[in-house]
Amino acid sequence: MEFDDDLIACAQAVERGDPARFRAVMAAPVPARAQLFPIYAFNLEVARAPWVTSEAMIGEMRLQWWRDALAEIAAGGLVRRHDVVTPLALALAPGIAEKLDLLVGARRWDLYRDAFEDQAHLERYIEETGGLLLEAAATSLGPADPQVARDAGYAAGLAAFLRAVPELEAKGRRPLVDGRPAAVAVLAEGGLDRLARARKGRGAVSPEAMPAFLATWEAEPILKQAAREPARVADGTLAINPARSAARLALMRATGRW
C-alpha cells in the first residue's frame, strides 16, 4: 500500500512525538495504518498545542484552529489543506469529528495552572482525551461498541497520564486531585475496572476495529503497578520491562485479544 506525502508526514510525526502509539500502529495491518496515523497525528498536534507557548490566549487560538478544522470535516464539504487535516477527513467515520471536539476542548485544562475541580473533572478529562481517541480510532476502522472503546481508551489514557505526573508537576501543573498513595491506588484500580468492563464487551468489537485496541497493550501492567505501588507515580518510576512490553504487543497482535 502506497502512502502519500500527507500520510508519511503523519507517520513520521507520530514516530517522533508518540512512539508508543507508533509501535501499536506498526503492529496493525497495513490498511489500518492509513486511518490510524492521521488520527494519532491529530491527537499529537492537539496535545502539543497548549505547550508550545506560554501565552494562554495563543494556546486557545491554536486549539480553536483544530476545532474549526473538525467542524469543516463534520460539515462534509471542503476542508482546509493541511498535512494532518486532509488525511484526517478521509480517515474519520461519520459523526466522529463532532465527538473529537470534546477532546480538543478537554485540552484547555493544559493551558492553565488550575487544578482539576474534583475527581469527576479529572476522570472526565481522561475520558474525553484517552477514551474518545480510542473510540475514534476503533469506529473509524470498523464496527465497534463506542462504550467498549471508551472504557479501554480510558484505561490506556489513565496509564499514560499517571506516567506523565512528574513531568506535569515540573511544568507547574497540578495533575492529581489527591496525590496521597491510597487515593492514587484507587484511581488506578478504577482504570483497571474500566479495562475489565471493556474486555467483557470484546464481542461487540469487529475484527476490522480490533487493531485500534493494540494501543492498550501497556495499560494493564502499568495500572497494576500504580495500584500496587502508588509511590511510583510521584517518583516517575512506572515502567514495564521492554522485552515484556514487546512480547505483550506481539501476543495481542497474534491473538487479537486485548
Side-chain angles (χ1 to χ4, degrees):
M1 179 180 179
E2 293 283 339
F3 270 39
D4 62 17
D5 289 345
D6 287 339
L7 285 174
I8 291 172
C10 288
Q12 290 174 338
V14 176
E15 183 179 19
R16 290 191 304 268
D18 195 348
R21 287 198 176 93
F22 180 80
R23 289 177 62 191
V25 177
M26 292 305 292
V30 173
R33 298 175 196 173
Q35 290 171 274
L36 293 175
F37 275 133
I39 293 171
Y40 291 151
F42 154 78
N43 179 66
L44 183 62
E45 291 288 339
V46 171
R48 182 185 290 157
W51 303 99
V52 296
T53 176
S54 59
E55 296 292 332
M57 183 58 66
I58 295 176
E60 291 274 14
M61 292 171 63
R62 288 177 178 271
L63 291 178
Q64 186 60 49
W65 190 95
W66 285 102
R67 300 183 92 163
D68 292 344
L70 289 172
E72 291 171 3
I73 294 172
L78 291 175
V79 300
R80 61 194 65 190
R81 174 74 188 97
H82 185 269
D83 56 4
V84 174
V85 177
T86 302
L88 183 67
L90 299 175
L92 293 178
I96 294 299
E98 294 95 327
K99 290 188 176 183
L100 286 177
D101 181 75
L102 290 173
L103 184 153
V104 181
R107 288 293 181 182
R108 295 185 65 249
W109 178 84
D110 297 318
L111 289 167
Y112 303 99
R113 296 177 183 267
D114 298 333
F116 288 108
E117 297 170 7
D118 50 29
Q119 196 71 7
H121 184 195
L122 167 58
E123 292 176 8
R124 186 169 68 252
Y125 173 88
I126 303 297
E127 175 91 16
E128 292 178 349
T129 52
L132 281 178
L133 181 63
L134 188 51
E135 179 186 345
T139 56
S140 294
L141 290 179
D145 185 309
Q147 186 61 57
V148 172
R150 284 197 300 271
D151 284 339
Y154 177 93
L158 178 61
F161 184 81
L162 292 176
R163 295 177 84 170
V165 162
E167 181 181 1
L168 290 169
E169 290 178 337
K171 291 180 176 179
R173 303 306 192 268
R174 296 170 60 189
L176 297 174
V177 177
D178 187 343
R180 291 175 297 180
V184 172
V186 169
L187 182 62
E189 288 164 0
L192 289 168
D193 289 343
R194 293 285 294 268
L195 183 59
R197 187 169 75 178
R199 286 172 171 167
K200 289 180 180 178
R202 267 191 292 238
V205 176
S206 67
E208 294 79 11
M210 192 288 296
F213 290 80
L214 292 171
T216 69
W217 94 97
E218 287 190 322
E220 183 176 32
I222 291 297
L223 290 175
K224 282 184 174 180
Q225 194 175 99
R228 186 175 60 250
E229 302 175 80
R232 283 180 172 269
V233 173
D235 294 344
T237 56
L238 286 178
I240 178 172
N241 178 278
R244 182 185 173 200
S245 174
R248 284 183 63 86
L249 182 57
L251 180 63
M252 191 179 293
R253 176 188 184 185
T255 64
R257 292 183 65 81
W258 43 272

